Amino acid sequence: MPAEFIKIYPQNPDERRIRQVVDVLRNGGLVIYPTDTVYGLGCDIYNSRAVEKIARIKGIKPQKNDFSFICYDLSHISDFARVDNSAFKIMKRVLPGPYTFILEATSAVPKLLNTNKKTVGIRVPDNNIARLIVKELGNPIVTTSIKDDDEIIEYSTDPELIYEKFQHQVDIVIDGGYGGNIASTIVKSDSDGFEIIREGLGDTSMFL
């Protein structure tokens, strides 16, 4: 069966629609949703089969994944990442926002993602739809960006075209309006300070 294609307005998300998405995630489904940058593909972090499905769609081995976690806020960050006070203050200042922070992972992460990676990406996007889904679910979701096969247009922005491409690979595609085509800025944070891994959307001056 093809995926459901549902409209949710970012400024006034329908609670019933949010619950519908969360029910799918709880049952191991995959969802494509808008963020404050590009559209993302996600699943419940506690469903290993769903994580494996995302890895297959991306054409990578689960152990080699670079998936990040979308969080509602930073209240549960210590469950998944180790972060010092100075980094936490910066994160609190810029999040929600278009940043992915690469942090030292806790022992919970390798088990969740079936990987031996020692870092984890943390995202708190400035988008009501993504954050309310996570809030209703009660835990973060695994996320990866929707890439386009076009060499010129790296990221798909039109939810209808995204639906056409992924309708037989996922369970729900959310139409939250046109997405962006610039990804998040990726910032690595460790004991040596900050390092810009990828410059995307968002001011990077505070990390330099």
Side-chain angles (χ1 to χ4, degrees):
M1 278 186 51
E4 283 196 72
F5 187 56
I6 63 174
K7 179 78 178 177
I8 301 180
Y9 295 94
Q11 302 311 320
N12 189 24
D14 185 326
E15 289 182 13
R16 288 171 303 169
R17 290 295 196 190
I18 296 292
R19 285 196 294 270
Q20 178 186 352
V21 173
V22 168
D23 285 344
V24 166
L25 289 169
R26 284 190 178 133
N27 286 309
L30 306 187
V31 174
I32 291 176
Y33 54 91
T35 72
D36 51 354
T37 56
V38 301
Y39 266 79
L41 165 64
C43 69
D44 187 337
I45 59 170
Y46 292 113
N47 194 301
S48 57
R49 285 190 180 176
V51 174
E52 287 169 9
K53 281 188 204 168
I54 291 182
R56 279 200 299 275
I57 290 172
K58 296 286 281 190
I60 57 175
K61 293 180 179 176
Q63 296 82 359
K64 303 248 179 187
N65 76 69
D66 279 320
F67 304 151
S68 296
F69 290 174
I70 292 235
C71 303
Y72 175 72
D73 57 23
L74 295 177
S75 59
H76 299 296
I77 191 172
S78 60
D79 294 338
F80 310 106
R82 296 184 180 89
V83 56
D84 61 33
N85 287 337
S86 59
F88 187 79
K89 283 178 185 172
I90 291 273
M91 292 174 72
K92 213 168 172 188
R93 200 165 91 207
V94 302
L95 298 176
Y99 302 92
T100 300
F101 284 90
I102 306 296
L103 306 167
E104 183 187 352
T106 64
S107 58
V109 172
K111 293 172 191 166
L112 292 171
L113 296 185
N114 186 23
T115 177
N116 53 12
K117 287 176 75 76
K118 295 181 179 169
T119 58
V120 63
I122 299 291
R123 277 273 277 136
V124 184
D126 189 10
N127 180 284
N128 289 333
I129 297 170
R131 292 182 68 219
L132 286 175
I133 288 169
V134 170
K135 187 177 185 184
E136 179 70 22
L137 182 62
N139 56 257
I141 56 177
V142 166
T143 188
T144 183
S145 299
I146 293 294
K147 291 266 192 175
D148 201 290
D149 296 329
D150 192 305
E151 290 181 9
I152 299 170
I153 305 167
E154 190 175 2
Y155 297 101
S156 300
T157 60
D158 184 338
E160 290 189 9
L161 294 179
I162 292 171
Y163 178 76
E164 280 180 26
K165 181 176 178 181
F166 291 98
Q167 61 180 304
H168 297 295
Q169 296 177 280
V170 303
D171 300 278
I172 288 182
V173 176
I174 298 171
D175 176 359
Y178 275 83
N181 59 6
I182 301 174
S184 64
T185 289
I186 299 179
V187 183
K188 186 176 181 183
S189 174
D190 56 26
S191 56
D192 295 326
F194 296 107
E195 179 188 355
I196 307 293
I197 304 296
R198 179 185 71 197
E199 193 159 349
L201 212 59
D203 179 20
T204 59
S205 60
M206 69 204 78
F207 307 113
L208 302 175

